[in-house]
Amino acid sequence: MTTTTLTRPDTAVPGRPGGTDTARHRRKRILNWIAVHSVAVALALFFVLPFVFVFLTSVMSDDQAMSGDLWPGSWNWSNYSTVFHTPGFLDWWRNSLMYALLGTVFTVCSSVPVAYALAKFRFRGRRTAMMLVISTMMLPPQVIIIPMYLVWAQQFHLSGSLWPLIIPMAFGDAYSIFLLRQFLLTIPQEYIESAKVDGCGELRTLLRIVVPMAKPGIAAVALFQFFYCWNDYFGPQIYAAQNPGAWTLSYGLESFKSAHAVNWNLTMAATLLVMAPVVIVFFFAQKAFVEGVTLTGVKG
């Protein structure tokens, strides 16, 4: 009597072609994993090393900062205290914070209703209005800076301050409107219609239904605007250059660098203090930022 042994087709037996294919597939997968992670580590080092260099230089002594040493011989944390006590530095910090916070609040509060109308209202000329909003994004600010400066300086007498930069944000921002409109298109119309059936008006629907559902998109727009205001150099240079009391950190840093041209340790410490708020804000809000940016491109 002959006994027949049955082997499952999906079982890999060493020495047979199936086992060789499985081992080859495993090696290929491991090599792919190593290659991908090697590239990721290389890119991470490419972006992180400049920050490491700035930090290490910021805690060096004056003499060592001018040398070719990459590691500080002594950790001079007093450099940060010296920067903080530089005349005008705290004023620059306060002005940047005021500019960034007010600009962000004004932009969000003015852009959300416009984006809601363009996304959910049905009216004649809606596409034309959207095209006009987008077309303003293609106009460089340098083209209109001279007439705008003359208006703010001669008609409103606000030159030498940051208000010519803050007040226009209360009337909306084209880029913010575009991003919010794209995000609001992803909100199902059924939620809005249900709210109206329950007796909600347009304003209440916006505040009670749409805004809570659009938090990721609003967070992304707020972060974009905060970063823009905090890093803005061109605007303060035009409107606040003649008044050092209205300088922001981005513009004041240029003056600080000129005054401490040979003190690279102090210059790097000031640079790190200027970058720190942006890095901290992004670190704590990166989840909402990434989610908002991702969902703004779902619909056209």
Side-chain angles (χ1 to χ4, degrees), residues 78-120:
S78 60
N79 292 340
Y80 292 95
S81 176
T82 302
V83 172
F84 263 113
H85 289 88
T86 300
F89 189 83
L90 291 180
D91 293 334
W92 304 342
W93 188 283
R94 185 189 67 247
N95 294 334
S96 292
L97 196 61
M98 180 190 71
Y99 179 27
L101 291 179
L102 289 181
T104 301
V105 172
F106 286 174
T107 299
V108 171
C109 292
S110 59
S111 299
V112 168
V114 179
Y116 173 64
L118 292 175
K120 297 301 181 181

Side-chain angles (χ1 to χ4, degrees), residues 23-193:
R24 186 182 297 110
H25 177 71
R26 186 182 297 111
R27 286 196 300 270
K28 183 178 180 181
R29 187 170 54 185
I30 293 174
L31 291 175
N32 288 336
W33 185 90
I34 294 174
V36 170
H37 285 75
S38 298
V39 173
V41 170
L43 290 175
L45 291 176
F46 179 78
F47 288 103
V48 170
L49 286 179
F51 293 95
V52 175
F53 174 77
V54 170
F55 169 72
L56 293 177
T57 306
S58 69
V59 294
M60 290 181 180
S61 61
D62 293 341
D63 296 334
Q64 190 180 12
M66 296 295 294
S67 65
D69 297 339
L70 296 178
W71 191 262
S74 60
W75 298 79
N76 297 274
W77 300 104
S78 60
N79 292 340
Y80 292 95
S81 176
T82 302
V83 172
F84 263 113
H85 289 88
T86 300
F89 189 83
L90 291 180
D91 293 334
W92 304 342
W93 188 283
R94 185 189 67 247
N95 294 334
S96 292
L97 196 61
M98 180 190 71
Y99 179 27
L101 291 179
L102 289 181
T104 301
V105 172
F106 286 174
T107 299
V108 171
C109 292
S110 59
S111 299
V112 168
V114 179
Y116 173 64
L118 292 175
K120 297 301 181 181
F121 288 6
R122 297 293 181 265
F123 57 91
R124 182 177 298 178
R126 182 170 64 98
R127 292 185 177 275
T128 303
M130 190 61 204
M131 292 301 297
L132 289 175
V133 171
I134 295 176
S135 64
T136 60
M137 297 167 53
M138 304 177 185
L139 189 65
Q142 291 81 1
V143 174
I144 59 173
I145 192 61
I146 294 179
M148 290 296 297
Y149 178 82
L150 294 177
V151 169
W152 289 109
Q154 297 181 0
Q155 302 298 325
F156 297 101
H157 307 287
L158 290 176
S159 60
S161 69
L162 296 174
W163 290 111
L165 300 173
I166 297 174
I167 294 176
M169 297 181 186
F171 298 93
D173 174 71
Y175 185 64
S176 301
I177 292 172
F178 172 74
L179 285 182
L180 286 171
R181 184 251 184 189
Q182 295 300 105
F183 188 91
L184 294 180
L185 287 175
T186 65
I187 298 178
Q189 187 69 23
E190 289 76 11
Y191 289 101
I192 299 175
E193 294 176 354

Side-chain angles (χ1 to χ4, degrees), residues 213-236:
M213 298 182 67
K215 283 182 179 179
I218 295 175
V221 167
L223 286 174
F224 273 128
Q225 192 63 27
F226 183 87
F227 295 160
Y228 168 78
C229 294
W230 188 268
N231 296 321
D232 187 18
Y233 178 84
F234 180 73

Side-chain angles (χ1 to χ4, degrees), residues 248-269:
T248 59
L249 282 171
S250 58
Y251 187 72
L253 184 62
E254 180 66 26
S255 173
F256 184 92
K257 186 176 67 174
S258 300
H260 299 82
V262 296
N263 303 112
W264 282 106
N265 53 343
L266 298 181
T267 302
M268 294 301 179

